[in-house]
Structure formats: structure tokens, C-alpha cells
Amino acid sequence: MADASSQIARTVPTRRAGRLREFWKYFSENRGAVIGLYVFAAFAMVAIFADFLAPYDPTTQFRGSELIPPFWQEGGEWAFPLGTDAVGRDMLSRLIHGARFSFFVGIVVVVVAATGGILLGLIAGFAPKWLDTLIMRLMDIILAFPSLLLALVLVAILGPTLLNAMIAIALVLQPHYVRLTRASVINERTKDYVTAARVAGAGYLRTMFVTVLPNCLAPIIVQAALSFSTAILDAAALGFLGMGAQPPTPEWGTMLADAREFVLRAWWVVTFPGLAILVTVLAINLMGDGLRDALDPKLKRS
Amino acid sequence: MSQPIVLAENLGRDYEVGGGLFSKPGIVRAVTETSFSIEAGKTLAVVGESGCGKSTLARLVTLIEEPTAGHLRIGDTEATPENWKKLRTDVQIVFQDPYGSLNLRQKVGAMLEEPLKINRPEMSKAERQAKGREMMRLVGLREEHYDRYPHMFSGGQRQRIAIARALMLEPKLLVLDEPVSALDLSIQSQILNLLLDLQERLQLAYLFISHDLSVVRHVADDVVVMYLGRPVETGPKDEVFDAPRHPYTKALLSATPRAEPGGGRQRIKLQGELPSPLNVPPGCPFAPRCWKAEDICRSDRPRLEGQPHPAACHFPEA
């Protein structure tokens, strides 16, 4: 008996690591997700260390070096590996700094949308029926608009800056979080452990945030990962339409918009920002899928 | 005779169901006219088939739901919603399913300390922890279990955790809502003996909800037999078990398997289904299934009365 108990005591620390290992086991079964994770990690690194990685300042214009092609093409220079744009700015430096903006947009939008959405969803899940109905119909109205159109209208009202674009995108993405949270809250709150917490004297706030919320987090985390890419994509779209970041900000969507007139003459000014958006969004989506496989107990095979 | 810990008089609970835009809501009488009292150190068992209102009764007594009729008194305090906060520490509950009643994201220690954190804010962290650890020993768990998550435990251990959590506030009354019916037979007896042991040590009053008569026979002092939200027979355990007066009790008892080779009673098979609680027949609710039913049973509802212990039947057994 004593042997058995010391045995159990010794395995405790490894068990917690075991949870993480189990998560990794399910996550790594999906090869796309692992690739996505690596690309995302690289993207994050680039965003954080943009100042050290970029060879030039993203807004410096090199007179006399306008529209230089990438180095492997005729007329290309090693000084500008991915060429320059129409006013002589280094493409590589702009792309690297653009990663920082995209990352920033993703994080801010997800944090704002998730915080608001989780709060509203919790309230809707616990509130009396009339308030629940009010919140959910309001969210339905937001969802009824094409999301980009609604964001466009909001930015048009607030004024075209990157910050306003982020607010608009956060507002558009919010209903998804509200629905997701409310659904899991309603599912969880009928369970006995919630009743037990109430019998122990827990008030509404404690029941909502301490008892129920941690049990609803898994789908919300997945949603957060997936809407990170939506936010980047929407911000780029708004930038392209001139409603997001304004030039000379090296935001990928804005870069695309600036390069529109050179599509036929200088393919590199449109291709590289476009590729950057594509690769980032794809990587995050792949990662999100893997995250769902690993976190959703319904998909788990025992 | 000492003051009862809990006293219920004509307790009732109705629910409105349905009632869409165009239909009138129906009323389900989940519990009606239920009276009982429990003294310290005693166990009152409530038995009956599923849907008879046992769990609703548990929720009423645990102050989760407000009764729609009658009185409930706990200690010296009338249990109205204004007093619920004060009475929380006196009544606690252990649920049937130990897999649903523990929060999977909370460590056992945090779970045990939570009731103290809420109700005894003046207690220090160290005191809370000491108390939690002591309680774990009391229910037969080891101290190193304190920092683990519920998914690392078996069903029986989980039920011990649930019992420990319920006892943290030193309640006077513990409501046990089928505490062993989700467990293995071998674990059942362990948990029951633990409960009996705790009762003796802490002078707890138990309201023991169960459909398992052999378990009830083991733990109860008094028994209430419920049928369709009403008590149909109540009395001391031995009397009810040995000399049931209501035909329903008799049928219930005959349905429990007994370890008597060759002996035992004739099994009484009931005809028909439990009537819908939305539409309770006017007379005795058991009349449609009763083999003794006569006209009076279908028109007049029998009162809970008689000697040696009360039963709600027009033709009780002697």
C-alpha cells in the first residue's frame, strides 16, 4: 500500500506534462497543422524582430531605383532582393514590417472581439429570457450583413484609419463568439457541478466566471485562432479599398492597393504582398484545424 | 424529543410547462403535500420510482428551488428565499453522478476550499487548506490527492470528494440524492458505510433519496414512500418494510431481489404506466394500477393517516 502511494505521488508531475503531451499527440497527428504552426511561429518572429530583420526603413525612398525587379530577374539587384516599388522603397523591408501590422491587427481584433463576445455570451446564457433574446437578435442582425460590407460602413462613419478598421472588424467578428459562448454556457449550466457551486453559496459572478467559463474555453480558443486569420484578411481587404491603414504604412493590403496600376508592368509589387497574406492566412487556418482536433473532446479517439 | 433539524409542512412545487404563444401552459405538480421532519443523527429515506418527485424534493430542501406551497423550516429559521443565504451553510447536497458534479477544471483542493472562501471570508488561506486536508482524511482520501484534478479519480473516489465538499461548511443536514446509484456494487457499500460513519461522528441528519430499497433498508431510520409527487406511506423503516400498508409499497418491496433461496414473497407485477403528472386522476393516483381499486379509489383521494403508521389508502393492509 505504501509502495503504491509513493508510486502515485512520484507520477504526479509527469501527469501534468502528460496532458500537454496528449494535446501535442492529437495536434501533431495533423501534419498540416504542424506546418501551419511553424509558419505561424516564423511569422510571429518576423513581426517581433522586424526592426532587426529588415534591411532598410520601410518608408525610405531610393531615388533612381524605382520598380527594380527581384534579384533573379534581369535588371535585379542584390541590394533589393525582392525589388522596389513605384517610389523606390525596398519591398522586402516593407513586407517584413507589414507582418508586424498584420500580427498587431490579428491580436487586437481577436482580443477585443473575444472579450466582448465572451462577456455578452455569458450574460445571454445566464440572463432571463428577454435579455437573452435581445442580445441574440442583435447579434443575428449583425450577422445578417455581409461582414466586409458592414465593416466598410463602420469605417466610413468612423474615418479610415487602421485603428478604426480594427474596431470595425472586431465588431463584425463578435457575434460568432457570443453564439459560441452562449451555446456552451447553456450546455454547462445545467450540470450538477454548477448547482453544487450555487449550493455552496457562489453568486452569479462567481458562477459565471470561475465555475462555468473555464469549462467553455476550448471551442472559444479554436474560434480565436481561426478568426485571427479572418481579421488579417479583412484588414488587408479594407486596406486595399483605402479604408484601412493609409499610405505610406507598409500594411499588406495597402501595399496591394498602391501597386494596382503596375500589375502588368511590375508583377513583383502585387505578387509578394498577396503571397504574404495567402501564406499567413493559410498557415493560421491549418493551425486552427489542428487545434480543434486536439481540443474538441467530441473528435477525440480514445 | 429533540428539536428537528428540518421540518417540512405540506411542501409543494408546481412547474408550468409548455405554454407557447397559443397554448395554455400545463401545470406539473412535481411535489404535493409532503410533510416530514428529520432529527439530528437520523436518516429519512425517500423512495419511489423515477419521476415521482424525489429529486424535486431534494432540490426544495437544498434551497435550490423555491416551494410553491407549504413551509420548510431549517433549524429555527423559516426557509424563505430571503433567508437562503443564511441557511446555505446548514444544508448541503451530494449528487447522484460523481462525473457531473465535480468541476473538471478545478483541483480537488480548490474545490474543497471554495465553499469556505465564499462563506467564511475571514478565514486565512492556511486555515482553509488545513481544513480541506483534514476533511480529505475524514472521507478516506489521501493528502497527496489534494492537488489533483477530478479526472484522475475513480467514481467512488469522486463521490468521496463530493461528500467532502458538502461537509466543508459543517452542515447539519445533508441531502443525498441517490448518492450510490451511479457506483459499482462493491463501492456502494464503502460509500454507504462512510456515510453512516460520518453521521455518527458529526451527528448529521440525512435526507436520503433512493430508488434502491436494499440500500434504504441498510441506512434509513424512517421512510417516506412517494408516488406521483405525493407521499403514500411513511413510518419507521422496520414497520414500513415488514408490514407495508399501502399496495404500492408492497409492490415496490416485492420487486427488490432478496437473498433468500427458495423463499421470499410473490412478485407483484403492476399493470399500466405511471399516469402523466400533467393529468393526475381525481381519486387515488395509484388507482389505475392497483389490484384492490374500487369505485371509491377512483373518485376520492385517500388521506395519509391510520395506525400503526400513516398510509394514503382506502383499503390499507392491517
Side-chain angles (χ1 to χ4, degrees), chain A:
Chain A
M1 192 66 197
D3 272 357
S5 67
S6 62
Q7 182 80 34
I8 290 165
R10 236 179 292 129
T11 54
V12 167
T14 50
R15 274 204 191 159
R16 194 164 311 151
R19 253 175 138 191
L20 205 67
R21 199 176 316 127
E22 189 193 304
F23 167 79
W24 181 249
K25 193 188 122 206
Y26 282 106
F27 187 80
S28 58
E29 250 173 43
N30 187 338
R31 195 177 303 164
V34 178
I35 295 172
L37 180 71
Y38 287 142
V39 173
F40 181 73
F43 168 62
M45 283 296 143
V46 167
I48 293 165
F49 297 109
D51 287 333
F52 305 102
L53 290 173
Y56 307 103
D57 185 274
T59 51
T60 314
Q61 302 177 8
F62 296 94
R63 290 279 173 89
S65 325
E66 289 92 1
L67 289 180
I68 289 179
F71 66 89
W72 63 85
Q73 237 183 345
E74 204 182 327
E77 292 175 22
W78 270 106
F80 307 110
L82 295 182
T84 57
D85 67 2
V87 287
R89 293 173 296 199
D90 178 41
M91 286 297 291
L92 182 64
S93 308
R94 286 178 71 71
L95 283 176
I96 289 173
H97 278 273
R100 178 175 279 186
F101 280 99
S102 291
F103 201 73
F104 181 59
V105 166
I107 286 181
V108 171
V109 166
V110 165
V111 168
V112 172
T115 320
I118 290 170
L119 264 177
L120 278 176
L122 271 175
I123 293 171
F126 275 93
K129 206 174 165 193
W130 65 268
L131 187 58
D132 177 30
T133 313
L134 188 75
I135 292 175
M136 292 323 287
R137 288 306 82 78
L138 213 65
M139 294 302 128
D140 284 349
I141 291 172
I142 297 180
L143 280 174
F145 285 100
S147 62
L148 196 62
L149 200 64
L150 184 60
L152 212 59
V153 170
L154 285 172
V155 176
I157 295 168
L158 296 171
T161 64
L162 188 60
L163 183 73
N164 288 344
M166 288 192 294
I167 294 173
I169 297 166
L171 209 75
V172 169
L173 292 181
Q174 180 152 293
H176 300 284
Y177 289 93
V178 178
R179 285 188 154 191
L180 212 57
T181 314
R182 174 177 172 270
S184 353
V185 165
I186 286 177
N187 186 24
E188 291 294 323
R189 63 176 286 198
T190 55
K191 292 193 178 159
D192 279 344
Y193 73 88
V194 182
T195 316
R198 272 177 58 202
V199 172
Y204 265 109
L205 282 180
R206 194 181 174 88
T207 322
M208 277 160 87
F209 290 99
V210 181
T211 314
V212 173
L213 184 57
N215 286 288
C216 301
L217 276 183
I220 297 172
I221 290 172
V222 175
Q223 176 67 22
L226 291 175
S227 63
F228 198 98
S229 66
T230 316
I232 291 176
L233 209 57
D234 281 1
L238 285 178
F240 182 75
L241 296 171
M243 293 298 212
Q246 297 299 308
T249 316
E251 204 269 330
W252 292 340
T254 314
M255 284 166 72
L256 273 177
D258 291 346
R260 229 168 349 186
E261 46 196 298
F262 309 105
V263 175
L264 294 177
R265 257 199 304 147
W267 58 269
W268 58 93
V269 282
V270 275
T271 309
F272 290 127
L275 268 181
I277 296 172
L278 173 78
V279 169
T280 315
V281 169
L282 189 65
I284 296 172
N285 280 346
L286 285 174
M287 191 183 71
D289 278 348
L291 215 55
R292 184 176 47 209
D293 290 351
L295 288 181
D296 192 343
K298 280 178 220 130
L299 296 175
K300 259 185 200 170
R301 278 151 289 154
S302 46

Side-chain angles (χ1 to χ4, degrees), chain B:
Chain B
M1 195 168 139
S2 61
Q3 166 96 10
I5 298 282
V6 58
L7 181 72
E9 274 173 1
N10 292 324
L11 213 55
R13 170 78 212 192
D14 300 342
Y15 292 104
E16 274 190 12
V17 292
L21 209 51
F22 301 108
S23 57
K24 236 173 76 185
I27 290 178
V28 173
R29 299 191 192 285
V31 173
T32 14
E33 291 170 22
T34 304
S35 305
F36 57 84
S37 69
I38 314 173
E39 287 163 33
K42 297 282 179 200
T43 302
L44 174 73
V46 179
V47 296
E49 62 197 296
S50 38
C52 74
K54 294 175 307 214
S55 287
T56 307
L57 188 65
R59 293 173 74 89
L60 290 178
V61 176
T62 325
L63 313 175
I64 298 168
E65 282 182 45
E66 199 183 338
T68 45
H71 298 281
L72 179 68
R73 192 212 294 248
I74 292 167
D76 303 322
T77 320
E78 198 69 30
T80 48
E82 305 91 69
N83 294 332
W84 278 9
K85 219 174 155 51
K86 209 163 73 195
L87 291 171
R88 279 277 177 244
T89 54
D90 287 346
V91 189
Q92 287 292 315
I93 187 165
V94 175
F95 291 99
Q96 171 177 11
D97 175 16
Y99 291 85
S101 66
L102 303 181
N103 187 347
L104 293 177
R105 305 264 164 176
Q106 231 176 1
K107 283 181 188 166
V108 174
M111 211 179 300
L112 295 185
E113 286 175 38
E114 191 176 35
L116 295 178
K117 225 183 241 174
I118 297 166
N119 292 290
R120 310 236 198 288
E122 74 283 354
M123 247 175 151
S124 76
K125 199 171 164 32
E127 276 178 288
R128 279 204 304 265
Q129 252 197 16
K131 203 157 177 225
R133 287 181 191 279
E134 189 198 319
M135 192 56 73
M136 289 196 59
R137 269 197 302 279
L138 199 62
V139 299
L141 290 165
R142 284 194 302 274
E143 271 204 36
E144 65 260 26
H145 292 151
Y146 204 72
D147 287 320
R148 292 199 197 159
Y149 286 94
H151 71 92
M152 302 172 178
F153 293 93
S154 69
Q157 283 174 314
R158 285 178 188 222
Q159 203 59 304
R160 285 175 196 265
I161 297 169
I163 293 168
R165 175 179 60 186
L167 291 178
M168 282 306 280
L169 289 169
E170 296 165 3
K172 297 184 194 125
L173 171 68
L174 200 57
V175 176
L176 303 159
D177 190 356
E178 311 219 14
V180 295
S181 53
L183 304 175
D184 259 13
L185 216 56
S186 57
I187 309 292
Q188 281 194 7
S189 61
Q190 283 179 22
I191 297 291
L192 286 176
N193 289 335
L194 170 70
L195 285 170
L196 289 175
D197 184 41
L198 288 170
Q199 179 172 47
E200 201 170 302
R201 257 201 263 182
L202 307 173
Q203 279 302 296
L204 292 163
Y206 284 163
L207 179 66
F208 193 98
I209 314 269
S210 181
H211 60 250
D212 187 340
L213 289 174
S214 34
V215 167
V216 169
R217 194 191 286 270
H218 185 52
V219 299
D221 294 302
D222 295 299
V223 178
V224 175
V225 182
M226 284 185 77
Y227 184 76
L228 220 62
R230 290 169 182 279
V232 293
E233 181 161 358
T234 109
K237 169 186 71 175
D238 293 332
E239 280 183 27
V240 173
F241 273 84
D242 296 339
R245 298 184 67 223
H246 197 281
Y248 177 65
T249 316
K250 223 175 154 181
L252 212 57
L253 283 170
S254 78
T256 29
R258 304 191 62 186
E260 279 170 33
R265 301 158 216 214
Q266 195 87 51
R267 168 96 196 260
I268 302 168
K269 279 209 176 112
L270 288 180
Q271 303 290 315
E273 286 291 312
L274 195 68
S276 159
L278 265 170
N279 189 13
V280 181
C284 172
F286 188 57
R289 300 166 81 184
C290 184
W291 62 95
K292 291 162 112 185
E294 291 182 21
D295 283 346
I296 185 174
C297 298
R298 283 181 269 272
S299 57
D300 282 358
R301 180 163 291 158
R303 301 247 303 270
L304 188 66
E305 58 191 4
Q307 287 299 327
H309 59 266
C313 184
H314 289 298
F315 308 103
E317 309 273 318

